[in-house]
Amino acid sequence: MPRRRSPRPSSSTAPRNRTPQPVRVRQRTFGDFVKAFLAFVALAVLLVGVPVALAMTAGWPFPETFEPMEWLRQDISVSTFLSILTFVVWLAWAQFTACVLVEMKAALSGVGVPGRVPGAGPSQLLARQLVAALLLVGATAASFTPSLAQLGQTLDDNQRPTVAAAQQTPGLFAQHQEQAAGAAAAVAEQASHTEAAPAAKQQGDTKFYRIQPPEGRHHDSLWEIAERHLGDGRRYKEIFELNKDRVQPDGSRLSEASLIRPGWIMEMPGDARGGDLVEMPDDAPEVSPEVRQQISDYARTGDGAAGGGDQARGGGDSGSGGGTAHVNVPEQRPAPAPGTGHADLRRPAPEQAATPARDSSSFGLPEALLAAPLLAAGLLGALGHRRRQALWQSAFAGVGGRRGMEPPTPAGDALDVQDALLVGADPEGVRLLDRSLRGLAASLAAESRPLPTVYAAWLSNGDLHLQLAQPSGKPPSPWRLGQDQTFWMLARADAEQYEDADTAAPYPGLVSLGTMDDSRLLLNLESVPGIVSLSGREEDRAAVFASVAAELATNGWSDRMTITLVGFGEDLTALAPSRLRHLDGVEALIETMEAETRQRRGALGAAGHDSVLTGRTGPARHTRWAPHLVLLAAEPSPEDALTLAELAADASRLGIGYLVGTGSGDLPGAAWEMEITGAGKLLAPLLGLELDAQLLPAAQRRAVVELFTDTDPERGPDGPGATPPFLVDISEQGRPAVYARLVGPYEIIGLETPDGERSALLHEALALLLLHREGVHPRVLSSALWPRGVTDDVREALIDRLRDWLGTDPDGAPRLRTDDTGRLTLAKSVVSDLDVLRSLYHEATQGKGVDSRAVRGRLLTDALVLVRGPLLADRPEGRYRWLTHEIVDAQLPLLVADTGLALAAFHMEKDRAEKAIEALNAALRTAPADERLWNELLRATHALDDPERLTALAAGLVARSGARGLPPRTEALLDELLPAWRDAVAAAG
């Protein structure tokens, strides 16, 4: 089928082609003028000469009288035969004249394809050739027709290449040609001439591009090819769809848009333009016979994929990706009847809207976590918090000999899971959800209105929809009613205006269950009027239970809660020991929940509240009304199920929720029933749900738990090792080829500064790699640099530029490498001052400095000289947001403090208090909050035997502490060093 030509002009800013191979553009020649003249003569003879000659020789074809019966009685003579023949010739002339008029009208109008004159196949073809030749030098139809060499073909065979030729011919009347070509393509498509595509290709409709080898620091990519030849880099998908899975000259196939190789051939959309395209079967003189043969062979491989290619081309004009959901206001539907125990949780009705292209490849990372942004964000935040706690614990308590050093580097499945968390996490979405819910609670409290009961929340394209149990009036601004009275809706733009609100989390029991058409469902477990049952195979149920437990334990939109796990998840308690607890069996659960149910009923009655929702906005909000959610994976007996159903009958009012697993699918007393299938679908027909379930499979659950347990500084018999994962050669012979200064303002020595706007991006990518010497997954790199998403080819282009910028070592090895797992690593010749700082401290405290006092003092002094301020002190606003997921901001101050303390101790051994004070003050510039530095500074100042100086230091500490007061250990130390310090500080003002 002929391709439609987009009216999009080619980019005027496209870079110059590296190996120009221009498409031959046919210019008007002397031969064209000769053909036009001959065509004019032929038309004059046929249109004027023939009728004049017939009139002069044979006369008018019609008789003077009309007597058909008399004609039939006459004998058939030679005169009769000549008269009939003359009439046929006149008829042929009239038909040809009609063909000329039809072709002339179509050619001059430039719109549509010529109409057919009945029975005039060869005659209309001849008229078309003559009209085209006549108008070749001055009319818009010049490029509508095939060459005169096609005169012997049939009319049907020539109408299809007509469209193809119209799509290719440049010139003065290009706009009209494009309009006509588009109309012709539409007519051909409506006629369903599926055989037209091969014919069109034979007539030169298809254009090809040959992937060029790297030139300097530039590598070809589909994005840049689309930008140069289609005017929009986002149309790279059209090129990808045209060439996907077709055999290339080297025998390989295109499977990912980012993985293209020099020498490959790409079929291009019909509206591609530019100097390095090749049209086939026309041969540009610059193309070698070998390449022409490769292109010819490749062109034949595309016929079988015409259907898919046409489909891709049909949607290519827009230049954008697929659609995503915006929520509109559809028709009204009634709310579920109160007290029925069921609800319709169908998502809000969407409308189509464009979304940015997303990364299409997971590179082996766990898909379950990549598709769970809220769960990933919660786990990542909790993991970072745990690691910081372990760092401070090891620093102040000296646990395991690890003081200020980093936790062990994950490996295997744990490393893959950590990377998946970094890629999949949506901390901004969690922040907006938390602020939106707390803002709603604060607004309702200000209006003295209770919180409505919320069954579920839908997140759709950043907008938040709360599905209420029953209509609750008009929501407070900026919230508004959704598709009916049971939906409250908040647009993302309005949610971004919310600030932190000093109120309790109103709906902490919300937990993600899965997605439906890009909308994510969060079920409010504590609001369900009874038990929620989950049926399906045991391993599938376990994956759902693990996901629910992990998200509830680490989510960012709740304060306090209790999550009781029964029949599974004892290892999951490591994620949040203060929230998660594990019980051995159903009997212990029933005993616990009977007591808590009685206690909560009494507490609500004493407080005068009808439910925990009214209590959460009152004075006792942060203490007594946290939810208790029970996750029971082991199927209870019928008797236990009935007992649980009785307890759950009043659970939603008390803030208690039950999710219970069942293998049979029939659980007595279940209010809402769900089923998880082997294909990962979560079904609940009575609730109107069919979701792609959010899961945490067993292997990934174990890896997540491993990440958390590895943070424990006491996990091994001898404690974790204190050796940094990367040590540099600190001798004179170990001078690096590339040296980056990260501790303080960012500087790079040994590389030229990249030109253009990509310089900041390359610097940021290098900083991320320097902070992770163990390697960085390509998708982690792209998600750090482009948090809102990026396409594969853009990421690969950046990696190629980074590799070119870093260059190669003397042995020819690139300084940016890819390890066996596909992660990006830096060569040892690329070093940062943070690497040197760690290596100097390690060598001073565990290496040569242990046995040599002089070496230790020199190494510690050199280390402290490297400290020029906080990490990446001058980083531009809006960049380096990935640092929020790192613990390096906690590691660096601890490492600097340890270095300052060690150097101060080194000087105090020789009673050089001033030198010790100088070292401690240098460390305080980077670690001003480290209590150990202030305490050692007090001791060193006391060693000077200068009470006034010590009093001034104490006064400065008191002023710095403000209303919080001095830490207990510092206060006790001052009592020892300067017993009258309180009076002295008060006297000093």
Side-chain angles (χ1 to χ4, degrees):
M1 186 176 295
R3 301 186 184 94
R4 298 192 180 195
R5 184 185 181 100
S6 170
R8 186 193 317 275
S10 57
S11 174
S12 61
T13 61
R16 295 177 60 87
N17 298 317
R18 298 183 295 281
T19 54
Q21 297 174 347
V23 176
R24 292 188 301 167
V25 178
R26 187 181 179 188
Q27 305 292 332
R28 297 184 181 88
T29 64
F30 177 76
D32 292 331
F33 286 95
V34 172
K35 289 180 182 179
F37 175 76
L38 294 178
F40 174 80
V41 173
L43 285 173
V45 170
L46 292 174
L47 295 179
V48 180
V50 169
V52 170
L54 286 174
M56 293 178 62
T57 58
W60 188 248
F62 297 102
E64 297 180 358
T65 61
F66 184 75
E67 296 179 354
M69 297 303 298
E70 184 64 22
W71 298 342
L72 293 175
R73 295 190 185 98
Q74 294 180 359
D75 296 334
I76 300 177
S77 60
V78 175
S79 176
T80 304
F81 181 81
L82 291 176
S83 298
I84 295 173
L85 184 59
T86 301
F87 180 83
V88 171
V89 173
W90 274 106
L91 188 61
W93 170 84
Q95 185 187 58
F96 179 80
T97 302
C99 292
V100 171
L101 294 176
V102 169
E103 294 294 331
M104 186 70 74
K105 177 181 181 298
L108 293 177
S109 66
V111 179
V113 294
R116 290 193 184 188
V117 177
S123 180
Q124 188 166 0
L125 177 60
L126 175 61
R128 182 178 304 158
Q129 309 307 319
L130 294 175
V131 169
L134 179 62
L135 299 180
L136 186 61
V137 294
T140 59
S143 54
F144 270 81
T145 51
S147 65
L148 290 173
Q150 299 170 332
L151 183 60
Q153 301 178 12
T154 66
L155 176 65
D156 290 339
D157 289 336
N158 281 275
Q159 285 179 330
R160 290 186 290 272
T162 296
V163 179
Q167 293 175 339
Q168 293 189 64
T169 309
L172 182 62
F173 306 99
Q175 181 176 1
H176 294 290
Q177 291 171 355
E178 289 183 6
Q179 292 175 351
V187 172
E189 190 169 350
Q190 291 173 1
S192 300
H193 289 166
T194 56
E195 71 279 10
K201 290 182 180 182
Q202 294 173 4
Q203 298 302 329
D205 176 57
T206 305
K207 301 174 184 178
F208 296 88
Y209 176 90
R210 194 165 185 261
I211 304 299
Q212 301 298 313
E215 181 177 345
R217 299 179 179 179
H218 185 275
H219 294 255
D220 244 341
S221 69
L222 293 187
W223 179 281
E224 293 185 347
I225 294 170
E227 197 169 45
R228 287 199 304 270
H229 301 296
L230 300 176
D232 189 342
R234 292 173 295 179
R235 295 184 64 190
Y236 78 93
K237 294 182 179 180
E238 299 176 47
I239 306 175
F240 175 74
E241 291 298 333
L242 282 172
N243 299 275
K244 182 180 179 182
D245 296 330
R246 292 170 63 177
V247 179
Q248 294 291 336
D250 61 359
S252 55
R253 299 173 186 265
L254 175 66
S255 59
E256 295 182 10
S258 60
L259 303 180
I260 60 176
R261 301 177 184 174
W264 279 11
I265 297 166
M266 296 289 113
E267 180 181 346
M268 301 291 289
D271 60 335
R273 299 177 181 176
D276 47 358
L277 297 179
V278 176
E279 292 184 36
M280 295 299 290
D282 298 331
D283 300 327
E286 291 82 4
V287 179
S288 65
E290 179 184 359
V291 174
R292 287 202 299 269
Q293 183 60 43
Q294 289 177 355
I295 296 177
S296 297
D297 295 340
Y298 185 78
R300 287 193 291 271
T301 67
D303 293 343
D310 290 340
Q311 183 179 2
R313 289 186 293 270
D317 293 341
S318 65
S320 62
T324 191
H326 273 299
V327 176
N328 59 5
V329 182
E331 69 279 0
Q332 297 279 329
R333 63 175 177 83
T340 61
H342 293 288
D344 189 346
L345 298 184
R346 290 176 294 178
R347 66 181 177 90
E351 62 184 9
Q352 296 298 322
T355 58
R358 293 186 177 180
D359 203 331
S360 62
S361 172
S362 65
F363 278 98
L365 298 181
E367 290 286 355
L369 289 172
L370 293 176
L374 304 184
L375 170 61
L379 289 171
L380 195 61
L383 181 62
H385 179 70
R386 183 72 60 83
R387 285 174 171 172
R388 285 180 173 84
Q389 282 185 325
L391 282 174
W392 284 102
Q393 181 182 355
S394 64
F396 283 95
V399 176
R402 172 157 55 90
R403 303 185 64 202
M405 306 307 287
E406 58 196 57
T409 302
D413 290 343
L415 180 56
D416 288 339
V417 163
Q418 178 177 273
D419 286 342
L421 295 178
L422 289 167
V423 174
D426 183 14
E428 179 66 12
V430 171
R431 185 183 68 86
L432 289 179
L433 176 61
D434 181 47
R435 287 187 173 184
S436 300
L437 295 176
R438 293 180 193 267
L440 174 64
S443 299
L444 290 172
E447 299 176 6
S448 299
R449 295 173 59 185
L451 286 168
T453 300
V454 170
Y455 278 156
W458 289 93
L459 287 173
S460 182
N461 196 33
D463 298 338
L464 174 60
H465 302 254
L466 297 183
Q467 193 159 354
L468 312 183
Q470 57 189 9
S472 299
K474 183 179 179 181
S477 179
W479 292 77
R480 55 187 174 86
L481 288 175
Q483 65 187 53
D484 62 32
Q485 296 293 323
T486 62
F487 275 91
W488 284 5
M489 181 264 186
L490 179 68
R492 182 185 180 94
D494 295 327
E496 291 173 346
Q497 300 174 8
Y498 270 121
E499 300 293 337
D500 292 332
D502 183 21
T503 188
Y507 304 111
L510 286 169
V511 63
S512 303
L513 292 185
T515 58
M516 181 191 300
D517 297 336
D518 295 329
S519 296
R520 182 171 304 278
L521 172 67
L522 288 83
L523 181 67
N524 191 6
L525 277 178
E526 66 168 333
S527 71
V528 178
I531 292 176
V532 179
S533 70
L534 177 66
S535 62
R537 296 185 308 177
E538 183 177 359
E539 57 270 27
D540 298 327
R541 298 200 316 267
V544 175
F545 274 104
S547 171
V548 170
E551 185 169 300
L552 288 172
T554 61
N555 72 56
W557 55 88
S558 62
D559 299 317
R560 296 172 56 252
M561 72 166 57
T562 301
I563 307 161
T564 299
L565 311 180
V566 184
F568 83 106
E570 186 173 5
D571 56 340
L572 289 174
T573 57
L575 273 58
S578 62
R579 285 193 179 187
L580 290 168
R581 67 178 180 180
H582 179 266
L583 296 180
D584 294 331
V586 179
E587 182 178 351
L589 172 67
I590 291 177
E591 182 180 353
T592 300
M593 298 314 298
E594 284 178 341
E596 181 155 354
T597 299
R598 289 193 300 269
Q599 186 271 333
R600 290 204 173 209
R601 283 174 179 163
L604 280 177
H609 300 309
D610 58 349
S611 75
V612 295
L613 291 179
T614 56
R616 281 179 187 161
T617 57
R621 58 180 181 264
H622 287 289
T623 56
R624 303 174 66 180
W625 311 116
H628 186 168
L629 305 176
V630 176
L631 308 181
L632 173 57
E635 183 172 6
S637 65
E639 294 79 10
D640 290 337
L642 288 175
T643 302
L644 288 173
E646 293 175 358
L647 291 173
D650 197 27
S652 61
R653 186 177 71 89
L654 305 176
I656 302 174
Y658 293 86
L659 177 62
V660 180
T662 171
S664 62
D666 184 14
L667 185 68
W672 293 1
E673 297 178 347
M674 297 187 296
E675 176 189 0
I676 178 65
T677 70
K681 292 288 186 180
L682 190 65
L683 309 178
L686 294 179
L687 304 178
L689 293 180
E690 182 176 350
L691 304 172
D692 293 321
Q694 179 172 296
L695 306 172
L696 186 59
Q700 295 168 30
R701 185 194 72 206
R702 289 192 294 269
V704 167
V705 172
E706 180 182 342
L707 289 174
F708 280 80
T709 55
D710 279 352
T711 62
D712 184 2
E714 297 180 297
R715 73 187 188 286
D718 300 321
T723 303
F726 177 73
L727 291 173
V728 300
D729 185 356
I730 57 177
S731 66
E732 287 295 328
Q733 292 74 26
R735 188 177 299 274
V738 178
Y739 183 65
R741 305 177 74 182
L742 305 179
V743 184
Y746 191 2
E747 299 177 16
I748 297 179
I749 301 171
L751 291 177
E752 296 181 359
T753 302
D755 297 329
E757 298 179 354
R758 294 192 177 106
S759 176
L761 205 61
L762 291 173
H763 278 74
E764 186 174 355
L766 179 57
L768 178 61
L769 290 166
L770 286 167
L771 293 177
H772 291 275
R773 302 302 307 219
E774 73 278 8
V776 177
H777 196 286
R779 288 205 61 184
V780 173
L781 178 66
S782 62
S783 66
L785 301 180
W786 294 282
R788 304 185 71 176
V790 71
T791 53
D792 296 348
D793 56 334
V794 174
R795 179 192 62 235
E796 294 302 323
L798 171 76
I799 293 174
D800 290 340
R801 292 189 192 97
L802 184 60
R803 184 177 288 112
D804 293 338
W805 180 43
L806 292 174
T808 59
D809 284 333
D811 60 358
R815 293 179 181 137
L816 178 61
R817 305 167 183 178
T818 304
D819 64 12
D820 295 337
T821 66
R823 289 173 173 82
L824 302 170
T825 61
L826 293 173
K828 292 184 177 180
S829 59
V830 183
V831 173
S832 74
D833 55 356
L834 184 57
D835 298 326
V836 178
L837 176 60
R838 287 169 173 159
S839 300
L840 287 170
Y841 176 78
H842 173 75
E843 192 69 20
T845 56
Q846 301 182 52
K848 297 178 181 179
V850 174
D851 300 322
S852 173
R853 171 180 167 78
V855 171
R856 181 168 73 254
R858 177 177 56 82
L859 293 175
L860 291 173
T861 301
D862 291 344
L864 208 55
V865 168
L866 294 175
V867 180
R868 300 173 298 128
L871 186 75
L872 297 168
D874 59 348
R875 57 180 180 264
E877 185 178 358
R879 288 202 172 275
Y880 298 87
R881 293 182 178 176
W882 46 270
L883 282 173
T884 58
H885 300 313
E886 305 283 341
I887 61 169
V888 67
D889 59 339
Q891 291 173 304
L892 178 60
L894 288 175
L895 179 58
V896 172
D898 284 348
T899 304
L901 290 169
L903 186 56
F906 170 83
H907 289 303
M908 291 300 294
E909 289 175 1
K910 296 295 184 180
D911 295 326
R912 296 197 292 261
E914 287 290 357
K915 288 288 187 181
I917 291 173
E918 182 181 344
L920 292 168
N921 283 326
L924 281 168
R925 285 194 288 271
T926 297
D930 198 311
E931 181 186 354
R932 299 172 301 161
L933 291 175
W934 291 108
N935 292 346
E936 289 304 316
L937 186 60
L938 287 171
R939 293 187 179 100
T941 304
H942 178 263
L944 295 174
D945 197 17
D946 186 348
E948 292 184 1
R949 188 169 177 179
L950 183 59
T951 300
L953 178 59
L957 273 174
V958 171
R960 187 178 180 276
S961 300
R964 294 175 301 173
L966 291 175
R969 282 180 290 193
T970 302
E971 189 172 345
L973 179 61
L974 274 174
D975 288 338
E976 174 67 24
L977 301 178
L978 190 64
W981 68 272
R982 292 178 177 84
D983 296 335
V985 168

